[in-house]
Amino acid sequence: MTQLPQSTVSRHLKVLGEDRWVVSRRQGTTNRYRMLLDELSLTQRAIWVLSRQQTTGGATLEQDALRLTRVLERQAGPSGFFDQAADAWDQTREELYGRAFATRAFAGLLPAHYTVVDLGCGTGSTLADLAPWVTKVVGIDRSKPMLAAAAGRIADLSNVELHRGELDALPLQDQYADAALLVLVLAYLEDPAPVLAEMHRILKPGGTALVIDLLQHERDDFRRDMEQVRCGFSAEGFGQLLTGAGFLPPAVAALPPEPHAKAPALLMARALRPEGNVS
């Protein structure tokens, strides 16, 4: 949950247990730990209160809370067959059916007449998922190698176009698209505002913008390794960027990370361009 190696977490918990901060009980192959709040000494209580004050509201704590929510959700299961399969169901379903089918199925909820633009389309995996369900899909990226990979992926799809271009100067006309995606791009930008302004420009009145990027975190090593310029965004900051670009106030939600995901958690925002000829 804290994205530390299991051996490191176990070592820390062992020390806490020896000092009577926590107790554990065995459940199957898992050890469950509980903090002994009522049995802490005065010194321990003072340390605990200070620790809570120092960490409350921090980005790392929010990341861990999301992972905890995901773990707890996975422990709840429906009745019958699934009561027996619940503990291993996520792994079983992935082994049987793969992981991508649900995401691809959601694309089927889009109106068939839509034109969708993927800004920073990369190797084109999203383009291929969207193509069967809408009239037209357009991918834009500045990287020649990325576009070459995307071209190979969508070679047999007649309703997909690729364009090389800068995201702050899109090679598309005003009010071109019904929906636009911007996935894992903003953390690489010194100033996201011009890109979001272009996203707003190419959308039709009432069009939908979907933006996914990193939730604010404190892993500067990750930022450096990925050559990003910022450690994610807060939900409030994400919303302000979109409204500043002219969108209506967005719906913003943190996305619970996959159980074995190594990156920080993500944020997703859905925003609409106002109806009418609003610039």
Side-chain angles (χ1 to χ4, degrees):
M1 188 169 66
T2 60
Q3 295 188 285
L4 292 173
Q6 183 176 344
S7 59
T8 301
V9 175
S10 297
R11 188 164 63 251
H12 290 326
L13 288 170
K14 182 175 184 294
V15 172
L16 290 171
E18 291 173 349
D19 205 27
R20 297 297 295 171
W21 284 85
V22 298
V23 293
S24 65
R25 63 182 176 85
R26 193 78 172 170
Q27 182 172 327
T29 59
T30 302
N31 282 324
R32 295 188 176 272
Y33 290 84
R34 177 173 59 88
M35 190 171 182
L36 298 170
L37 285 173
D38 295 336
E39 301 179 25
L40 296 181
S41 67
L42 291 177
T43 300
Q44 287 175 317
R45 283 182 176 274
I47 294 172
W48 171 244
V49 170
L50 180 61
S51 299
R52 292 284 298 209
Q53 291 173 345
Q54 294 294 320
T55 57
T56 297
T60 299
L61 189 64
E62 186 173 355
Q63 291 274 340
D64 285 348
L66 282 170
R67 292 180 179 274
L68 175 60
T69 300
R70 178 71 176 220
V71 170
L72 294 176
E73 287 174 350
R74 292 177 66 205
Q75 291 178 352
S79 59
F81 162 78
F82 293 102
D83 278 348
Q84 304 299 318
D87 287 345
W89 176 243
D90 286 351
Q91 179 180 346
T92 300
R93 188 176 75 164
E94 183 175 334
E95 289 174 351
L96 293 174
Y97 308 112
R99 180 181 297 180
F101 74 92
T103 303
R104 291 170 179 166
F106 293 149
L109 297 173
L110 292 171
H113 67 273
Y114 263 28
T115 294
V116 182
V117 178
D118 185 6
L119 306 178
C121 64
T123 59
S125 60
T126 300
L127 305 177
D129 290 343
L130 291 171
W133 305 105
V134 297
T135 296
K136 189 174 184 179
V137 186
V138 177
I140 300 175
D141 207 289
R142 67 180 300 183
S143 167
K144 286 184 178 180
M146 286 287 193
L147 288 172
R153 177 171 263 146
I154 57 93
D156 297 329
L157 301 174
S158 61
N159 65 332
V160 181
E161 292 181 5
L162 294 175
H163 297 278
R164 185 168 183 242
E166 299 294 335
L167 299 187
D168 58 0
L170 297 172
L172 300 174
Q173 66 190 31
D174 293 355
Q175 301 182 17
Y176 176 85
D178 299 284
L181 311 176
L182 193 62
V183 180
L184 297 179
V185 171
L186 296 186
Y188 290 92
L189 305 179
E190 291 286 353
D191 183 8
V195 173
L196 292 173
E198 278 290 272
M199 191 182 203
H200 180 275
R201 179 184 68 78
I202 67 165
L203 281 171
K204 298 174 182 178
T208 301
L210 186 69
V211 184
I212 298 176
D213 221 292
L214 288 159
L215 177 65
Q216 188 173 11
H217 61 92
E218 296 171 344
R219 292 176 56 189
D220 199 55
D221 58 331
F222 177 86
R223 180 194 64 76
R224 291 194 304 270
D225 289 345
M226 298 301 294
E227 299 185 10
Q228 295 169 343
V229 301
R230 68 187 73 243
C231 290
F233 300 86
S234 67
E236 181 181 1
F238 219 39
Q240 289 174 349
L241 284 171
L242 285 160
T243 55
F247 291 98
L248 296 174
V252 182
L255 300 178
E258 295 292 328
H260 302 296
K262 296 180 180 179
L266 301 173
L267 274 178
M268 181 171 73
R270 178 180 178 271
L272 300 179
R273 175 171 173 164
E275 296 280 359
N277 294 320
V278 180
S279 60

